[in-house]
Amino acid sequence: MAVDPRAIADLLDGTLDPQRNKEAEIALRGAESSTQFSLILLQIASDGSYSYATRLAGALCFKNYIKRNWVDEDGNHKLPPDEVAAVKQEIVGIMISVPPKIQSQLGDAISLIAESDFWRRWDTLIDDLVARLTLDNAVVNNGVLQVAHSIFKRWRPLYRSDELYTEIIHVLTKFGLPFLTLFESTDRMIEENKDNRDGLQAAFGTLILLIKLFYDLSCQDLPPIFEDHLPAITKLLKKYLEYDNPLLRTTDDAEPGPLEFVKAGICEVLNLYAQNFEEEFGQFLGEFIATVWNLLTSTGAEAKYDILVSKALQFLTTAARIRQHAENFNNEGVLGHVVDNVILPNVSLRDTDIEMLEDEPIEFIRRDLEGSDADTRRRAATDFLRQLLEHFEKLVTQVVMVYVDRYISQYKKDPADNWRSKDTAVYLFCAIAAKGVVTTSQGVKGTNSLVNIIEFFETYIAEDLVKEQGGEYLPTVDAIKYIYIFRSQMTKAQLQVSLPLLMKHLSTKNYVVHTYAAIAIERILFLSDGSGKAMFTKEDVLPMGKDMLEQLFRLIQEQGVPEKVQENEFLMRCVMRVLIVIKDGVLPIADTVLNQLNSITGEISRNPSNPRFYYYHFEALGAIIRYVGPSQPEKIDNVLYPQFAAVLQEDVQEFIPYVFQLFAAILETNPSGALTERHQSLIPPILMPALWESKGNVPALVRLLSAVIARGPSYLVANSHVEPVLGIFQKLISTKANESYAFDVIEAVVTHIPVSALQPYFVPVLNMMLMRLNNSRTETLAIRFLRFYHFMCARDKQGLGADFVIHAVDQVQEGVFAPLYKTVILPETPKLTRPVDRKMAVISFCKTLADSESFHSQYKRGWGYTCDAMLKLLENPPVPPTAADDIQEQDVDDLGFGIGFTALSTCRRPPQDPWPEITSLKRWVGDTLKEADVRHRNEIQKYMQERISDEARTVLLSYMQD
């Protein structure tokens, strides 16, 4: 169905209008099925007759449409071939011609397309780009280079592989020489336009992109064409590190200009080459160290230079790892010069830092935290100092402690006015006291043996932690940060003394102080010993838990509007941590906590804007469900269900995967309860195919569907829901991305739904599995099929078992079981790694040996092979872990966030052992075979004599005689 571009443009305008954006977004999603929808969006983005806002919205919509609809999970195009070809043909020319912000969105779309198509399914792209390059048109060149950067930047985080290198070689073969030619011509254009502001600005725009591309093309390995021209390239890089022109200087002290971007980009390239290509680049390194050093010592403290200073220091840090170059700093006078001219100017707080702290405190805090990846002057200067410390620990410590003592003395003379001196002293001390990698999970793991962190804390820091609030607050912040940084170096007793003091600061109105207090408390409660056992237990935290939660909820809720309520993720992270640690100790205040969290859900669902905040929020809800749900399931359901249902009703996409997980957790807390009407009402929506189209929904939906099946199998059978459930299985197993989830569904079905209700479906289900194994087998598919096979064979008492499976498989295709068993089941079973799965395989094999008529009479040699496979597994009998109450979580800073699936650790189910009563597998095998031998009138003993080796028979008899 064709659609009028003007109608689509009107919907795009509607998405910008707060009054009708929801309706417009729904209508746009409905229009996606229109003929050549992607091309209509491209047309709108490129058509100057539309408003700029409409064109930008069109480009953004195009990018998101491509993300969802370009390829399926297996990499096949979802759009018609003619539309795919037309998009590739049009997009480069359009991107070159549109304004920068629209260009940025289209560049992201090109990067998405390249992810699946470049280069083998888009092998003409580089030729197209090269053909568009000119020697004198910066506007066109910049567009082409932006497209190239959109594609090549994908290489930066990738691991090396033959396929990646083939792609890079393809690019370099066609693009390498034109790139160097353009580099030279751009240098000439800059010279020719040195007195022409517009021409110079355009040429520098090209140079910025060339530097980015130079990094892209070198990020995996040194291109031979660059190595051949390295002297000429380094000459140009040095020239523009030192380049200056009044026409390029900016009057804005906050925002970097072209000069800063070019020089920062060059420093980033130098850092890459110093790290990876020392043999080829080493001869130029000394010259660049001197150039960058001069650049650093002559660059001002204005914020516009921050990125440049940060990148320059990162390069010097890398260079200092090389002993030869580090020796240049192995002198007390030189180190004093380093501290005076590089370290102090970049770690001391500036007026702009104070302004940011007061105007945007949450952003300052995010950048300031140890372990953050932000490019700040402080972070870069600290890394440089710590690198020198690695080489010359005694000398660096001695030199820096002179400055620490000097700044402490300045502070003591006039604490009210000289508080910045103390901040600098504390920061310098922390910089040299910490050794190794500083992590967000544990803080500092190693320290400098030449300083005493506890003595420094007691002498200079503790006073700021205990004093009453009033006057300048940054010394208090420094005291809290000191505990945060060195928490792993403190004893539990020392931290226990600190917690009440941190709680006191949690109650202050000062945003910065109470936020750092929440951060420190949360990270202290997260600490564990070497074995992973939590340092602080429920009993440690419970006495202060109620007050702590009350303070945190007050701080969160007092912000009022949704954007402000969810602004400070550190407060909600602390709520989450307290609930995780106090476990069921929350029961006496469960009503209050539930109502607070429920209220916050309603507030932030109006406009979700901080993924980290709402991740921690839903983890907190998961903790409440986990620890309150088993004893008060109705209360949990009554409070949370209406708000969760509203999230689904209002289609709050960011929250939906979380809500599905929490609904599942609610059902799982009361496994023996009947499926209530409320939960029955969830079944028709979650069986709708459309809901399963979103990748982010699938894992959570599978978890919820499995929980529903477990709680209401009779309801599903009585209301004819079994077939739609199996339809979901069919949809999931058809794609590699979802095949594992398909087995989660079918295992839940077979576990809980009576075999009699499933009888008509076993053969079609096995047919789908075998077709996938035959046509597009993956390692995951093979392992999950093995698990399912053993799962079925081990459930003989439920009406399944080996003979049932053999009969069903041979109904798919006569005689197919025997080769399947020989080529898949027997050789692949040892690849099962989870103890639960290996235990299940032993049970499956043993029951096959004991009672399978087919193996007793038809597959006689197979009986012996099965026995050998079982004994192999029993050499190291698997011991499934017992269920523990601890929440095994990833550190949340390692997670990605957004509209998609993020697993909630508080809801994660531990591996389930379906046979917990079997504690000794060897004894159970012996007992089972002895009982079978009696049932079958000594036939098992006979098979042992005839079908297995003497060695195997000896081992098996030892099990049977124990």
Side-chain angles (χ1 to χ4, degrees):
M1 179 186 70
V3 65
D4 181 6
R6 291 282 168 186
I8 299 298
D10 183 60
L11 291 176
L12 291 169
D13 289 338
T15 63
L16 307 175
D17 181 355
Q19 301 299 318
R20 61 188 189 106
N21 65 338
K22 202 74 176 177
E23 295 173 18
E25 286 170 4
I26 293 170
L28 266 178
R29 290 297 291 268
E32 288 184 359
S33 59
S34 306
T35 304
Q36 299 195 325
F37 182 74
S38 61
L39 296 172
I40 292 170
L41 292 175
L42 273 180
Q43 177 187 337
I44 292 170
S46 64
D47 191 341
S49 67
Y50 294 106
S51 71
Y52 177 78
T54 304
R55 295 173 66 192
L56 182 58
L60 178 60
C61 186
F62 175 79
K63 177 184 76 174
N64 291 331
Y65 177 78
I66 291 298
K67 186 185 297 184
R68 292 191 303 270
N69 296 289
W70 188 255
V71 290
D72 62 19
E73 290 87 347
D74 295 331
N76 302 311
H77 288 131
K78 295 168 70 174
L79 300 180
D82 60 333
E83 189 170 350
V84 168
V87 167
K88 291 179 183 177
Q89 185 176 345
E90 297 291 333
I91 193 168
V92 173
I94 290 173
M95 183 173 166
I96 289 170
S97 65
V98 295
K101 288 187 178 179
I102 298 175
Q103 198 174 72
S104 176
Q105 297 298 330
L106 295 181
D108 289 343
I110 288 177
S111 187
L112 290 167
I113 293 170
E115 199 75 49
S116 63
D117 285 28
F118 187 75
W119 61 282
R120 297 190 187 279
R121 293 195 294 191
W122 200 1
D123 57 357
T124 60
L125 176 60
I126 302 302
D127 291 324
D128 185 13
L129 293 177
V130 170
R132 294 172 186 270
L133 289 173
T134 74
L135 294 177
D136 55 5
N137 190 329
V139 175
V140 171
N141 289 340
N142 292 354
V144 172
L145 297 180
Q146 190 66 56
V147 173
H149 178 54
S150 298
I151 298 165
F152 306 158
K153 69 182 180 183
R154 299 178 302 111
W155 302 335
R156 295 191 181 196
L158 299 181
Y159 291 110
R160 297 186 176 194
S161 68
D162 291 344
E163 182 65 26
L164 175 60
Y165 271 55
T166 302
E167 180 179 322
I168 294 173
I169 291 168
H170 167 80
V171 169
L172 287 168
T173 302
K174 296 171 178 288
F175 192 76
L177 188 57
F179 172 82
L180 291 178
T181 302
L182 182 59
F183 209 151
E184 293 174 349
S185 66
T186 301
D187 176 48
R188 288 195 299 272
M189 282 184 66
I190 289 171
E191 290 299 324
E192 292 166 2
N193 289 277
K194 61 184 179 183
D195 299 319
N196 175 358
R197 182 185 299 275
D198 291 342
L200 188 62
Q201 292 271 6
F204 249 73
T206 305
L207 184 59
I208 291 170
L209 287 165
L210 286 168
I211 299 299
K212 288 180 180 180
L213 281 163
F214 188 77
Y215 190 104
D216 295 338
L217 295 167
S218 306
C219 67
Q220 292 289 334
D221 203 354
L222 177 59
I225 192 169
F226 290 177
E227 184 177 357
D228 293 343
H229 294 81
L230 209 50
I233 292 171
T234 54
K235 183 178 179 181
L236 283 174
L237 294 177
K238 185 173 184 296
K239 172 181 177 178
Y240 287 105
L241 265 181
E242 299 173 329
Y243 188 86
D244 190 23
N245 189 316
L247 297 179
L248 293 171
R249 295 176 197 161
T250 60
T251 55
D252 186 346
D253 286 343
E255 294 298 324
L259 280 171
E260 291 74 52
F261 281 125
V262 163
K263 293 179 182 183
I266 292 173
C267 287
E268 198 169 12
V269 165
L270 296 179
N271 191 32
L272 174 73
Y273 271 61
Q275 279 181 329
N276 297 348
F277 315 126
E278 184 188 350
E279 182 179 342
E280 298 85 357
F281 186 64
Q283 60 182 306
F284 308 103
L285 197 51
E287 184 181 13
F288 277 113
I289 290 171
T291 302
V292 171
W293 179 264
N294 292 333
L295 179 65
L296 270 175
T297 54
S298 60
T299 298
E302 293 84 356
K304 69 179 179 180
Y305 299 122
D306 285 0
I307 187 68
L308 169 57
V309 170
S310 173
K311 297 299 183 186
L313 281 166
Q314 287 171 19
F315 164 65
L316 288 183
T317 302
T318 297
R321 292 194 182 109
I322 303 167
R323 185 77 191 198
Q324 170 193 345
H325 298 292
E327 283 296 334
N328 294 325
F329 302 99
N330 190 12
N331 175 280
E332 186 174 347
V334 172
L335 277 173
H337 184 68
V338 168
V339 175
D340 272 326
N341 292 281
V342 173
I343 305 300
L344 285 175
N346 292 304
V347 302
S348 300
L349 282 175
R350 304 164 295 174
D351 290 341
T352 53
D353 297 323
I354 302 299
E355 288 171 11
M356 184 179 185
L357 189 57
E358 292 173 352
D359 296 341
E360 299 179 77
I362 193 66
E363 188 56 36
F364 181 93
I365 292 166
R366 287 171 186 151
R367 295 173 60 187
D368 184 53
L369 288 177
E370 284 283 0
S372 160
D373 59 359
D375 287 327
T376 64
R377 287 181 182 240
R378 274 191 155 191
R379 178 72 26 74
T382 301
D383 290 344
F384 180 47
L385 187 59
R386 285 177 178 163
Q387 184 57 54
L388 295 177
L389 188 74
E390 280 192 26
H391 290 300
F392 321 114
E393 185 174 62
K394 184 176 180 180
L395 182 58
V396 170
T397 303
Q398 176 186 320
V399 169
V400 172
M401 284 305 297
V402 170
Y403 288 89
V404 171
D405 293 339
R406 181 188 305 171
Y407 280 100
I408 289 287
S409 298
Q410 287 179 11
Y411 168 75
K412 286 181 176 179
K413 289 176 185 176
D414 188 352
D417 284 343
N418 293 344
W419 55 267
R420 289 198 200 191
S421 296
K422 185 169 187 181
D423 176 81
T424 302
V426 172
Y427 198 93
L428 280 173
F429 181 85
C430 292
I432 61 164
K435 291 184 71 175
V437 177
V438 183
T439 67
T440 55
S441 59
Q442 299 293 325
V444 170
K445 295 294 287 181
T447 57
N448 183 342
S449 61
L450 302 177
V451 297
N452 188 321
I453 62 166
I454 301 301
E455 180 184 327
F456 189 83
F457 175 77
E458 292 171 345
T459 306
Y460 301 117
I461 305 291
E463 61 188 20
D464 294 314
L465 195 65
V466 300
K467 74 179 181 183
E468 294 299 320
Q469 275 295 298
E472 181 50 52
Y473 61 86
L474 271 177
T476 302
V477 169
D478 286 337
I480 296 170
K481 278 179 58 186
Y482 192 93
I483 294 173
Y484 163 79
I485 292 168
F486 293 108
R487 59 193 180 274
S488 289
Q489 305 303 314
M490 297 182 176
T491 65
K492 181 176 179 179
Q494 290 168 333
L495 292 170
Q496 280 179 312
V497 172
S498 300
L499 276 174
L501 297 172
L502 293 171
M503 265 197 66
K504 180 188 74 172
H505 294 301
L506 198 61
S507 63
T508 182
K509 292 183 178 180
N510 186 288
Y511 188 100
V512 178
V513 173
H514 69 233
T515 299
Y516 273 110
I519 292 166
I521 290 169
E522 190 275 329
R523 290 289 85 183
I524 288 171
L525 297 185
F526 182 73
L527 286 173
S528 60
D529 61 21
S531 66
K533 184 180 178 182
M535 178 182 289
F536 286 88
T537 64
K538 175 175 76 172
E539 290 69 28
D540 296 325
V541 180
L542 204 51
M544 63 186 86
K546 179 175 180 291
D547 292 340
M548 207 178 286
L549 289 168
E550 285 179 355
Q551 290 289 0
L552 289 163
F553 282 127
R554 177 185 63 79
L555 293 170
I556 292 168
Q557 294 278 36
E558 70 182 6
Q559 300 300 321
V561 298
E563 293 80 5
K564 298 297 287 183
V565 166
Q566 61 192 305
E567 175 187 76
N568 194 332
E569 66 266 20
F570 301 108
L571 299 178
M572 184 52 76
R573 185 178 186 174
C574 195
V575 169
M576 173 198 76
R577 184 66 54 207
V578 173
L579 291 173
I580 288 173
V581 174
I582 66 174
K583 298 181 169 58
D584 57 3
V586 76
L587 282 167
I589 56 170
D591 287 350
T592 302
V593 175
L594 268 172
N595 289 329
Q596 289 278 10
L597 291 172
N598 207 37
S599 171
I600 292 170
T601 303
E603 193 71 33
I604 64 176
S605 65
R606 298 177 197 169
N607 183 23
S609 57
N610 185 348
R612 288 184 178 274
F613 181 95
Y614 54 74
Y615 166 76
Y616 300 133
H617 171 69
F618 287 116
E619 285 282 23
L621 280 164
I624 280 285
I625 292 167
R626 184 186 185 111
Y627 297 119
V628 177
S631 60
Q632 302 178 28
E634 289 187 7
K635 175 183 288 184
I636 290 285
D637 202 26
N638 289 336
V639 174
L640 297 181
Y641 184 92
Q643 192 64 67
F644 287 175
V647 167
L648 301 182
Q649 183 70 32
E650 294 164 15
D651 193 29
V652 186
Q653 292 188 26
E654 296 89 341
F655 290 3
I656 286 175
Y658 293 124
V659 166
F660 286 148
Q661 292 179 75
L662 294 174
F663 267 140
I666 290 171
L667 288 169
E668 291 160 359
T669 57
N670 184 24
S672 60
L675 205 60
T676 65
E677 287 187 17
R678 280 176 169 170
H679 299 128
Q680 289 171 10
S681 69
L682 291 173
I683 295 173
I686 67 174
L687 293 178
M688 295 286 289
L691 204 54
W692 295 80
E693 292 298 327
S694 170
K695 294 178 186 177
N697 286 348
V698 170
L701 276 169
V702 167
R703 175 79 180 276
L704 176 55
L705 182 57
S706 300
V708 167
I709 294 167
R711 278 281 293 269
S714 57
Y715 177 85
L716 292 173
V717 173
N719 290 273
S720 303
H721 289 310
V722 173
E723 200 160 306
V725 169
L726 294 175
I728 297 297
F729 162 78
Q730 181 178 13
K731 177 179 177 65
L732 295 176
I733 202 169
S734 67
T735 63
K736 294 175 183 177
N738 293 323
E739 59 197 14
S740 185
Y741 299 120
F743 282 95
D744 290 341
V745 171
I746 199 65
E747 286 175 10
V749 167
V750 175
T751 299
H752 299 287
I753 293 178
V755 172
S756 58
L758 298 175
Q759 197 70 42
Y761 305 109
F762 279 112
V763 173
V765 163
L766 286 167
N767 186 36
M768 290 178 226
M769 294 179 184
L770 295 176
M771 284 180 65
R772 273 295 319 275
L773 276 173
N774 189 52
N775 298 331
S776 54
R777 176 174 170 174
T778 66
E779 189 67 22
T780 299
L781 182 76
I783 292 296
R784 290 308 302 264
F785 176 77
L786 278 173
R787 272 179 55 179
F788 184 68
Y789 171 82
H790 290 302
F791 171 78
M792 295 269 285
C793 290
R795 297 178 66 82
D796 56 333
K797 292 180 181 178
Q798 288 76 24
L800 300 173
D803 287 338
F804 181 95
V805 176
I806 292 167
H807 179 68
V809 169
D810 280 342
Q811 279 186 283
V812 173
Q813 183 180 333
E814 184 65 34
V816 79
F817 176 77
L820 176 71
Y821 197 72
K822 288 182 197 174
T823 61
V824 177
I825 305 299
L826 288 174
E828 298 291 329
T829 290
K831 294 182 180 178
L832 293 171
T833 56
R834 297 196 321 162
V836 168
D837 297 340
R838 292 174 70 83
K839 178 178 179 179
M840 184 161 59
V842 170
I843 294 170
S844 160
F845 282 148
C846 184
K847 290 190 174 188
T848 298
L849 296 173
D851 291 310
S852 169
E853 179 60 32
S854 298
F855 275 83
H856 286 184
S857 59
Q858 184 178 355
Y859 302 118
K860 296 179 181 179
R861 284 196 297 175
W863 197 96
Y865 297 150
T866 302
C867 187
D868 290 340
M870 180 185 73
L871 293 177
K872 191 73 177 173
L873 288 171
L874 284 171
E875 286 178 2
N876 293 297
V879 181
T882 55
D885 194 33
D886 294 333
I887 293 171
Q888 302 298 320
E889 58 179 302
Q890 297 182 65
D891 195 84
V892 289
D893 289 305
D894 297 331
L895 300 174
F897 298 94
I899 299 177
F901 179 74
T902 303
L904 294 173
S905 297
T906 50
C907 294
R908 188 173 291 136
R909 297 184 71 191
Q912 304 292 307
D913 182 0
W915 293 275
E917 69 280 4
I918 302 175
T919 54
S920 171
L921 266 179
K922 290 181 179 179
R923 184 180 297 115
W924 178 85
V925 166
D927 291 345
T928 300
L929 291 178
K930 276 195 296 185
E931 292 167 6
D933 194 45
V934 172
R935 282 197 308 276
H936 298 298
R937 300 177 182 179
N938 300 321
E939 286 293 309
I940 302 300
Q941 292 274 5
K942 179 183 174 185
Y943 301 153
M944 290 168 60
Q945 291 296 326
E946 297 173 349
R947 302 179 183 181
I948 58 176
S949 66
D950 292 344
E951 183 182 355
R953 184 164 51 255
T954 301
V955 174
L956 201 55
L957 282 170
S958 72
Y959 297 161
M960 296 173 71
Q961 290 167 1
D962 284 346

